[in-house]
Amino acid sequence: MEKITVIGAGYVGLTSAVLLANCGYRVTLLEINKQRLDSVKSGRSFFYEHGVDELLQSALNTKKLTPTDSAAHAFRSADIVFSCVGTPDNPDGSSNLSYVFGVAKEAIKYAKDGLVFVQKSTVPVGTGKKIEKLFKANSRKFTYVSNPEFLREGTAIQDSLFFDRVVAGSSNKPAATRVLDIYKTLDEKCLELAKIVKVDANIKNGGSYIQTDLNSAELIKVTANAFLALKISFANSIAKLADHAGANVNDVMDAVGADKRIGREFLNAGRGYGGGCFPKDVSGLISSAAEYSVDMPIMTAATEVNDSMPGYIANRAQEILGTLQDKKIAVLGLSFKAGTSDARKSPGVKMANLLSKAGAVVSAYDPHANGEAKEDLRDNIRVCQSALEAADGADAIFITTAWPEFREMDMHQLKSVMSGILIYDADNALDRSEVEKEGLRFVGVGIQ
Ligand code: UGA
C-alpha cells in the first residue's frame, strides 16, 4: 500500500488522515503547531467533530498513524502527500497562499522523486500550474494532482465515507488514477468505518469518480461552494420579501425545492452563512476572476445579501422591542453552524456583537463553541455555561445556531426565567407552535 503523508491536522487534514489510517494505509501526519500536535498525539482532536476522536484513537492504537512535527521525516517517508493547509483570506478578499506554497517548497526540499503531490486545500484556479512550474524549476520529478475536498464541518466523517463524488484533476492521468484508487479503498471500507463512529450506515454510497484537467478540478471546488452560497443568499432575499409581503419562506422553498432541477438543500433562510469556507471562497472567486479580468456581479450580490442579514434581523428586533438600548438579550449559538465548535466568521458572533453595539446587554452561550468564540466577542458580552443561564432575565432570546439542544429546549422552563417574551429564531430552527403554546412571541426569518 502507498505510504501517505498528510500535511496539516485541521478539519480536512485530520479527518483524511484518520480515515486513511483506518483503511490500512501507513499515514504520517505533519502538524507544526505544538498544541495541536500534542492534542492529536493524545488521541483528541483540537476541534469538536463527531467520530474523529474514535478514529484517531483507533489509528494511534494500530500504529497506522504517526503524528509528527518533522517536515523532513514526513516528506521523506511519503509516496503520496496530501496537502491540507489553510488558505485564509487576505484583507482584500483574495486567498492567502503562503501556507500552500510553503508546503510545496518543503516537498522540494525533502521529498523523493516520483512523489505524487495532492492538493486538497481550496486554491484559486491556476495555482496548481504555478506549483508545477516551481517543481520543474527546481528539477524535481513530482506529479501534481488537484483533489478538492467537499466535506462539511459537523458531518465530516459521514460526508467522507458516503461521498457524492471525488474529483482528481491532473495533467498526469496515472497519478490522478492512483489518487482515485485510494478513495475506492475508502469506499470499500465505508460500512465498517461507519460502525466505529456510529454514523448512519444505511446510506447507499454510489459516489462518482471524476477525472479532469488540473484547472477544471480547482474550479469545480470553488464553483460548488459559490453556488451553495448563492442558494443561501437567494433564499435570504426571498425571506426578506416574505417578511414584508406576509408569506412563509419555508413553505415557499419546500415547494420550489421539490423541483428536482432546483433541489431543497441550502435554501434555508436565516442569519446568513459563515465559517471558514463560504465567505472566503466567494471572495476568493471574485478576486481570482478579477485577475483574469472577469466580473462576478452575481457573487458580489450574494456577499452583500449575506452581510446584510445580521443587521436586518437586529433592525426587525428593534422595531418589535421599541429599542435595543439596555434590553437584556440572550444569543444562543456561537458556532457558525450546528455540529461544530468552529466559530470562524460566525453569524451568531456577529449578531451578538451587533446587538451589544446597539446598546443591548448581551449574554451568549454555545454548547461547544464558547471557547473558540470568546476572542471575537465584544468584551462586555457575558459568556454563559447554559442556555438557561443566558436566558435568565432576558427580554428576548435569539437562536443563532440550530443546535439540537436549542431545538429541544423546554419552552415552559425558558419562559419562567425570562422577563420578556420574544424568541427570535434567526436560524429558523424551532417549532413555532412549541414556542407559541407557552405564550412566547415567535419571530423567524421570512416566516409569518
Ligand atoms: C462547506 C461546503 O458545504 C462543503 O461542501 C465544503 O467542503 C466546505 O464548505 C469547504 O469548502 O471546506 P461548511 O462550511 O463546513 O461546508 O458548512 P455548510 O454546511 O456548507 O454551511 C455553511 C454555512 O451556511 C453555515 O453557516 C450554515 O449555517 C449556512 N447555511 C447552510 C444556511 O444559512 N442555509 C442553508 O440552507 C445551508
Side-chain angles (χ1 to χ4, degrees), residues 328-332 363-365 382 384 386-397 409 413-420 423:
K328 286 186 81 179
I329 295 183
V331 173
L332 303 184
S363 305
Y365 164 72
R382 189 165 65 93
C384 301
S386 72
L388 280 183
E389 184 194 338
D392 193 21
D395 295 298
I397 290 178
M409 262 181 323
Q413 199 180 19
L414 199 62
K415 190 180 178 202
S416 71
V417 300
M418 289 176 70
S419 58
I423 306 287

Side-chain angles (χ1 to χ4, degrees), residues 343-357:
R344 285 177 295 170
K345 301 221 164 103
S346 160
V349 171
K350 264 194 215 157
M351 286 263 25
N353 286 341
L354 209 62
L355 293 165
S356 157
K357 256 191 207 153

Side-chain angles (χ1 to χ4, degrees), residues 256-278:
V256 170
D259 182 331
K260 286 192 184 67
R261 293 170 303 171
I262 298 172
R264 178 63 179 86
E265 287 190 62
F266 281 71
L267 286 177
N268 296 316
R271 71 310 189 243
Y273 56 78
C277 301
F278 286 174

Side-chain angles (χ1 to χ4, degrees), residues 91 302 315:
N315 283 345

